[in-house]
Amino acid sequence: MNFSYFIARRMAIKSQRTFSKLIVRIAIAGVMLSLAVMILSVSVIKGFKTEIREKVRGYIGDIQIFKYDLNGSYENSPFRPDDSTLHYLRTNKRIEHFQYFATKPAIMSANNEIEGINFKGVDKNYRFDFIKKHLVSGRTIDFRDSVKANREIMISSYTANRLKLKAGDEFIIYFVQDPPRRRKFEIVGVYNVGIENIDKGFVLGSISLVQRLNNWAPGEVGGIEVRVKDFAQLGPVSDQVYEKIDRNLRSYPLNRVYPGIFNWLDLLDVNTKVLLVLMMIVGVINMITALLIMILERANMIGLLKSMGATDYTIMKIFLYNAAYLVLIGLFLGNILGLGLGFLQLYTKAFTLNQTSYFLNYVPVEIHLTDVIGLNVATIVISLIVLIVPAMYVSRVSPLKAIRFK
């Protein structure tokens, strides 16, 4: 049997600690809390980024295609997609689907209140799966009757609260043009995406109404929303779409349409890295302190082993084995605590947030096995590498002095 491992095992299991007992427990608690905080930090940040990203891409798509011009208004310039562009979008295996839309600025008037909005027109091929998940009341627009669909509209709960409206109410919208045009609509659904830029700025209606108001030719649209199968490949797919579509068109990826939101999400990665470093430092310092105290407390044992011929390297391994044992206990407890709280939040959503500030009404959690394993391995490796330095203190213990003052 390995001599160093045998002594370390006896120290860890059967030794009755005195002074170092409390310090060792604090060290284990430090490792446990550090790992638990790191697991929760990574899980919450990943969950937060995924939820916000899915909300934005669920409403406006991953890539938006417009007509290439100098138009800087909220109203898109019309274009008719050519056959080569449509063929490419249909046959590209990395594209999940695409859909047409058109926007037009308007003013809503109801209950002696007014609100400026951007009317987003969609057609029967629009996927309402995302809106249905965030539907507060009512239903989606029914495109089976085109005449009826032109009078139906969906608004956000933000707009509904400001104008004191609900599903089933009727009101007037004034479309901004010369001369202004007014239309009466019925609210068929109220949704709550949770992102103010979207809830505050848009309402959903029929694209055919926008086409008629603007006197567009048949088949003309304001834009195309493209959704990719793998969001991680958004950059390459967006570049390819830009190269393949008609030269009179331009395309923008999601992170360029809403740069503020995605720049903010990128900053969260920086905060996570800083927190991981700080938690790792806390855990390592606790272990260094515990190891030094254990070495000082067992100076007599070190001296006795040296007098019997044990080398400094052999004695170092004894304390490193013992430290590894304590680290593993801390990791075991840290995994239980971190994963326990993570899964508790995942299934119960017990911890809530202010949706106005954070775009979500609960703390999102996204747990990946690879992240948990990576954090555990990193903690073990970094701890043992750093603990080599204090373990070298055994070389300074004199066998004669240690035994004399036993």
Side-chain angles (χ1 to χ4, degrees):
M1 178 181 289
N2 187 306
F3 175 73
S4 299
Y5 176 75
F6 174 77
I7 299 297
R9 187 168 178 268
R10 298 279 295 184
M11 287 172 55
I13 298 176
K14 296 187 177 182
S15 176
Q16 296 295 324
R17 295 186 177 89
T18 54
F19 176 69
S20 65
K21 188 174 183 179
L22 176 61
I23 302 299
V24 167
R25 289 180 177 178
I26 293 175
I28 293 175
V31 174
M32 175 189 71
L33 293 176
S34 297
L35 181 63
V37 170
M38 288 190 290
I39 291 175
L40 290 173
S41 298
V42 173
S43 300
V44 169
I45 294 301
K46 283 198 171 184
F48 195 81
K49 293 183 66 175
T50 298
E51 289 292 328
I52 299 299
R53 184 189 68 202
E54 290 302 313
K55 282 191 173 189
V56 178
R57 69 191 295 239
Y59 195 90
I60 69 171
D62 296 324
I63 303 170
Q64 290 197 340
I65 300 175
F66 303 101
K67 183 178 180 180
Y68 185 76
D69 56 23
L70 299 178
N71 180 15
S73 68
Y74 288 106
E75 187 169 350
N76 311 125
S77 299
F79 68 93
R80 180 181 296 172
D82 63 293
D83 293 337
S84 62
T85 298
L86 295 178
H87 177 74
Y88 168 74
L89 295 177
R90 292 192 183 105
T91 57
N92 191 327
K93 295 182 179 180
R94 294 197 290 181
I95 292 178
E96 183 177 330
H97 76 275
F98 65 93
Q99 54 201 17
Y100 303 127
F101 73 96
T103 57
K104 189 173 182 63
I107 297 174
M108 297 176 61
S109 176
N111 299 317
N112 297 320
E113 300 285 345
I114 60 173
E115 184 77 10
I117 51 93
N118 205 9
F119 185 95
K120 180 179 180 180
V122 297
D123 61 13
K124 62 181 180 180
N125 296 317
Y126 185 82
R127 293 194 177 183
F128 283 99
D129 297 345
F130 171 78
I131 295 297
K132 289 179 180 178
K133 292 180 181 179
H134 297 85
L135 200 61
V136 176
S137 61
R139 57 172 175 82
T140 58
I141 299 173
D142 186 2
F143 285 99
R144 290 176 297 180
D145 186 343
S146 59
V147 176
K148 185 179 179 181
N150 285 336
R151 295 188 63 254
E152 295 184 344
I153 195 172
M154 298 184 69
I155 67 176
S156 68
S157 58
Y158 175 90
T159 303
N161 293 333
R162 285 182 62 87
L163 299 181
K164 303 174 185 177
L165 296 171
K166 62 182 183 301
D169 289 347
E170 295 183 346
F171 64 98
I172 301 296
I173 287 185
Y174 297 88
F175 290 95
V176 179
Q177 60 184 88
D178 189 16
R181 305 282 289 274
R182 55 177 287 174
R183 288 291 187 274
K184 189 176 183 180
F185 290 91
E186 178 189 357
I187 301 174
V188 297
V190 178
Y191 57 86
N192 181 22
V193 175
I195 298 180
E196 185 176 345
N197 290 353
I198 294 175
D199 288 337
K200 184 179 180 180
F202 291 94
V203 299
L204 285 176
S206 174
I207 192 174
S208 63
L209 177 63
V210 179
Q211 293 168 334
R212 279 178 19 197
L213 290 172
N214 291 338
N215 297 318
W216 288 355
E220 288 188 326
V221 298
I224 303 175
E225 292 178 355
V226 180
R227 186 177 177 92
V228 300
K229 292 182 178 179
D230 183 6
F231 188 80
Q233 299 297 318
L234 177 61
V237 175
S238 176
D239 293 339
Q240 190 179 52
V241 168
Y242 182 82
E243 294 175 0
K244 295 294 184 179
I245 60 177
D246 184 83
R247 63 181 181 178
N248 293 322
L249 302 178
R250 60 179 178 178
S251 65
Y252 289 127
L254 180 62
N255 52 7
R256 288 191 60 188
V257 178
Y258 283 102
I261 293 178
F262 284 88
N263 289 338
W264 172 53
L265 293 179
D266 290 337
L267 287 176
L268 295 180
D269 290 333
V270 178
N271 296 339
T272 304
K273 293 176 182 177
V274 172
L275 184 60
L276 291 180
V277 171
L278 291 177
M279 288 299 99
M280 190 69 72
I281 291 174
V282 170
V284 168
I285 288 177
N286 281 327
M287 285 306 305
I288 290 175
T289 304
L291 182 60
L292 286 174
I293 291 176
M294 285 190 296
I295 291 174
L296 292 173
E297 188 182 40
R298 289 173 173 80
N300 295 329
M301 184 193 77
I302 295 172
L304 182 61
L305 291 175
K306 283 188 175 184
S307 66
M308 295 174 64
T311 63
D312 290 338
Y313 177 69
T314 300
I315 300 174
M316 280 178 55
K317 288 198 297 181
I318 293 174
F319 288 97
L320 287 177
Y321 279 134
N322 194 252
Y325 173 75
L326 300 179
V327 170
L328 290 176
I329 294 177
L331 293 181
F332 176 74
L333 297 176
N335 281 302
I336 293 177
L337 179 61
L339 293 176
L341 291 175
F343 282 111
L344 175 67
Q345 177 63 14
L346 182 64
Y347 292 111
T348 66
K349 295 180 174 56
F351 300 98
T352 59
L353 293 173
N354 183 350
Q355 183 167 284
T356 304
S357 301
Y358 297 98
F359 304 149
L360 295 169
N361 56 9
Y362 64 93
V363 178
V365 176
E366 186 176 325
I367 300 174
H368 294 281
L369 181 61
T370 53
D371 294 333
V372 177
I373 294 176
L375 290 173
N376 278 267
V377 172
T379 302
I380 294 174
V381 172
I382 294 175
S383 296
L384 293 182
I385 290 176
V386 174
L387 290 176
I388 292 176
V389 176
M392 294 175 63
Y393 183 79
V394 301
S395 63
R396 302 182 59 181
V397 177
S398 169
L400 183 60
K401 292 182 179 180
I403 297 174
R404 178 182 300 174
F405 295 100
K406 180 176 179 180

